Amino acid sequence: MSKQLIVDGTLVEVEDGITLLQACEQAGAEIPRFCYHERLSIAGNCRMCLVDVQGSPKPIASCAMGVNDLPPNKDGSPKIISTKSPMVKKAREGVMEFLLINHPLDCPICDQGGECDLQDQAQAYGRGGSRYTENKRAVEDKHLGPLIKTVMTRCIHCTRCVRYMTEVAGVEELGLIGRGEDAEITTYLEKGIMSEMSANVVDLCPVGALTHRPWAHNARPWELKATESVDVMDAVGSAITVNTRGRDVMRILPRNNDAVNEEWISDKTRHVADGLRTQRLDTPYVRVDGKLIAASWDEALAAVAAKLKAARPERIGVIAGDLAGAEELFALKDLCGRLGIKSIDCRQDGARFDPAMGRASYLFNTTIAGIEQADCILLVGTNPRLEGAVLNARILKRHKQGGLRVGLIGERVPLTYPYEYLGAGPETLAAVADGLKGGGSNGFATHLNAAKRPMVIVGPAATTRADGMAVLALAARVAQGASQGADENWNAFNALQTAASRVAGLDLGLVPDKGGLDVAGMVAASAKGALDVLFLLGADELALDKVGAQTFVVYQGSHGDVGAHRADVILPGAAYTEKAATYVNTEGRAQMTAKAAAAPGMAKEDWTILRALSALAGQTLPYDDITALRAAMYKAAPQLAPLGSVSGAGSIATLAGLSGQLAAGAFANPITDYYLTNPIARASSVMAEMSALKKNSAGANRDAAE
């Protein structure tokens, strides 16, 4: 069904159910607004979007009226709508005049200056003068935590922030209290907002009432260079824009990608920027007499090459970290193959994923956007709020549409939507599997059986256990059983990865060859004196205190974190904002970062370090530039070539066919501190402040409960 309208003299045909505002924009008209946002519910309280509708005695708020609500003309002719009539012009001038009555003249010192909706619309739709001579009202600023700076006198009560926190972040901590002149946006209890996605309210604020505290008064938007890139703080692969001034990353903002993050990013993604400037490795180091001494590149690479050539391949271990791009992972795998090294692993956390089980065994197969079609979700050993905050917001979005059941097996955690708690460990998952086969009375199995689009989401609490492969196989069988009544081509099995490098590493085969050791095996072998060289490519989440003193440790990375402290040679690499690298997100979508800033000092891009090392080690890699390297990489892993898209990953039949012994014990979520999960975040003072606030808040809640 469709409806015809005449907008500013143009006949348009619009679909049923849309608002007048959307219809006018489809006709090419520009409609100003403050409170309306396409991803939030309609409030209709700013009145800036007024239009003149034929037959109406007064202007109509176009955001709050649907095209279906318009009464038809008696003769059946299309309704005439004007967005430029004298009545509309006068009405908008009046609305703008009221909005500016109490707004302070802060533009020269306001961080919103240059990207402020109020500035732009006052210029375009305002009267050009003020008739208000009384004193302006002032509002006390509110404490919203270390991320959000408030100047509440500027607030125009659009309530975008309130609706966002409730509807998207799922944390009802903001609201509007008072009436009339006493109305204020507040947190009720005057405490910091404890949400992993709270800072998106600053992007939504159309005035300068909410701004970013960490970079307050640091730069104007027109001073900054914008570079489109991809986030690596988790495996969601959110689209971001990196703003730089000179060689410094000043801020990170979200970029729209409806298939992945819509227009939201997590607080860690946004405010980790200061960690890119501190604790950086900017020169090679070699340990001499127990002390790390600055060295030249030739000296550092020669020391590493000498150790690699002296050690037998079976006594060399290689571990890739969570922030490595596909290019350096491929070069590392290639070099290991030429040197005969079989002990190589990208599963730093000990996850049991195996590329031999097929690509579908380690991907989020229904895709992130596919969550919006699900009608039943089983969470197994995962806390998506911490492991993929933006992905968790999709589940909340789907829940608010109605008709979704969510079940959780694992730790009880405060998700942003209600769920049915089923149990703590693999025995509960086994009961669900039996229920699907008709051998049990598990209630949630009944819901999975009846679902047309079920999802089973398996997280790191399940996959990093010693019986992780058995749990994965059981979850795959549950997904297969649930999919029998599902729509065609719907794969219900989903692995929620947490490391940005993980999927690319598995695609490229960075797992131990036959006879090789995994991460735990390498650490254990080192402790026994059976490992001569351990090469760490940005691997900082290991128990390196268990590595034997006689093992020669090489650390290649960007930050002076755990790996660098234990290293005998340090090779400084580039961070994700300083190189063009490919990252594959949890759903198998290959995306590429862009070089936004130069690496500090003598640091280099990681693949170039490995290329130089290969020549000194006597096994020169056959590519001298990034184009040649990518050509070889795409030949080895063709699924990395199409950027920005997700292709079919195949079947989970091989994984589901595995059998294994399940161990007793509850699933334990590995992320204990959301804000300090990688070396960049641990170098950030903002993340440290958020971590401390979270711990204090948790302690206060415990005290209150007791």
Side-chain angles (χ1 to χ4, degrees), residues 516-533:
L517 302 173
D518 61 9
V519 168
M522 289 182 232
V523 174
S526 174
K528 296 175 184 176
L531 200 69
D532 294 335
V533 179

Side-chain angles (χ1 to χ4, degrees), residues 89-111:
K89 183 176 183 297
K90 184 177 180 181
R92 289 176 180 169
E93 286 177 352
V95 169
M96 180 59 69
E97 196 169 7
F98 276 116
L99 288 175
L100 294 175
I101 277 178
N102 287 310
H103 198 81
L105 299 175
D106 280 351
C107 297
I109 60 162
C110 178
D111 267 334

Side-chain angles (χ1 to χ4, degrees), residues 349 351 353 378-384 387 409 456-465 468 471-472 475 494-498 667-670:
D349 57 0
F353 299 109
L378 176 62
L379 303 174
V380 182
T382 180
N383 179 359
E387 294 156 12
I409 301 175
V456 179
I457 302 177
V458 187
T463 60
T464 55
R465 293 161 48 110
V471 175
L472 276 169
N494 298 281
L496 178 54
Q497 304 287 356
T498 56
F667 297 132
N669 292 330

Side-chain angles (χ1 to χ4, degrees), residues 150-458:
T150 63
V151 183
M152 300 311 293
T153 303
R154 301 171 185 163
C155 179
I156 62 170
H157 303 154
C158 70
T159 68
R160 278 187 182 181
C161 55
V162 176
R163 285 174 284 146
Y164 167 81
M165 291 304 300
T166 302
E167 298 165 12
V168 180
V171 180
E172 298 183 8
E173 293 189 1
L174 275 183
L176 182 71
I177 63 170
R179 301 181 66 183
E181 193 176 65
D182 296 324
E184 296 182 29
I185 302 287
T186 180
T187 58
Y188 303 120
L189 299 178
E190 291 290 324
K191 63 173 185 173
I193 298 176
M194 283 287 98
S195 166
E196 296 74 28
M197 296 180 63
S198 63
N200 288 299
V201 297
V202 177
D203 297 330
L204 291 172
C205 184
V207 297
L210 306 177
T211 54
H212 292 111
R213 187 181 296 277
W215 60 70
H217 310 305
N218 278 355
R220 287 296 194 185
W222 55 83
E223 298 178 296
L224 304 177
K225 172 191 168 189
T227 305
E228 294 185 354
S229 191
V230 180
D231 173 51
V232 301
M233 292 297 109
D234 53 32
V236 174
S238 300
I240 59 174
T241 297
V242 180
N243 285 154
T244 54
R245 184 174 62 186
R247 60 188 305 155
D248 290 332
V249 175
M250 301 301 293
R251 64 180 188 178
I252 296 172
L253 299 176
R255 185 164 50 88
N256 193 75
N257 186 344
D258 286 341
V260 181
N261 61 306
E262 297 184 295
E263 58 188 83
W264 321 121
I265 55 174
S266 70
D267 290 349
K268 183 163 58 176
T269 297
R270 183 187 300 265
H271 286 296
V272 80
D274 67 314
L276 293 165
R277 298 190 292 269
T278 55
Q279 289 284 95
R280 290 304 303 270
L281 299 174
D282 57 1
T283 189
Y285 287 89
V286 176
R287 194 176 293 276
V288 179
D289 296 330
K291 294 183 178 180
L292 287 169
I293 306 298
S296 67
W297 271 109
D298 290 341
E299 292 169 337
L301 291 174
V304 177
K307 289 291 184 179
L308 290 175
K309 288 193 285 189
R312 297 201 308 271
E314 61 271 19
R315 295 180 67 88
I316 301 175
V318 176
I319 302 173
D322 295 345
L323 305 181
E327 286 78 3
E328 52 259 35
L329 291 174
F330 175 73
L332 184 65
K333 170 72 172 175
D334 195 358
L335 179 57
C336 288
R338 293 170 188 272
L339 292 173
I341 300 170
K342 296 182 178 180
S343 298
I344 180 172
D345 205 346
C346 68
R347 302 164 303 180
Q348 191 178 196
D349 57 0
R352 305 294 169 174
F353 299 109
D354 187 351
M357 297 295 105
R359 197 170 189 238
S361 70
Y362 55 84
L363 291 187
F364 201 91
N365 293 291
T366 58
T367 72
I368 295 171
I371 292 172
E372 296 186 28
Q373 303 173 43
D375 50 6
C376 187
I377 298 177
L378 176 62
L379 303 174
V380 182
T382 180
N383 179 359
R385 182 171 173 179
L386 302 186
E387 294 156 12
V390 174
L391 183 146
N392 188 67
R394 285 273 191 166
I395 301 178
L396 174 62
K397 179 180 179 181
R398 172 63 188 89
H399 178 268
K400 286 190 172 293
Q401 294 167 0
L404 174 69
R405 287 185 177 272
V406 180
L408 173 65
I409 301 175
E411 283 188 36
R412 287 183 186 267
V413 289
L415 298 178
T416 55
Y417 38 83
Y419 61 84
E420 183 180 339
Y421 185 71
L422 306 178
E427 66 283 349
T428 307
L429 184 61
V432 173
D434 289 341
L436 285 171
K437 293 185 292 187
S441 58
N442 185 283
F444 202 80
T446 306
H447 302 316
L448 284 171
N449 262 329
K452 292 297 181 185
R453 300 234 163 158
M455 292 180 66
V456 179
I457 302 177
V458 187

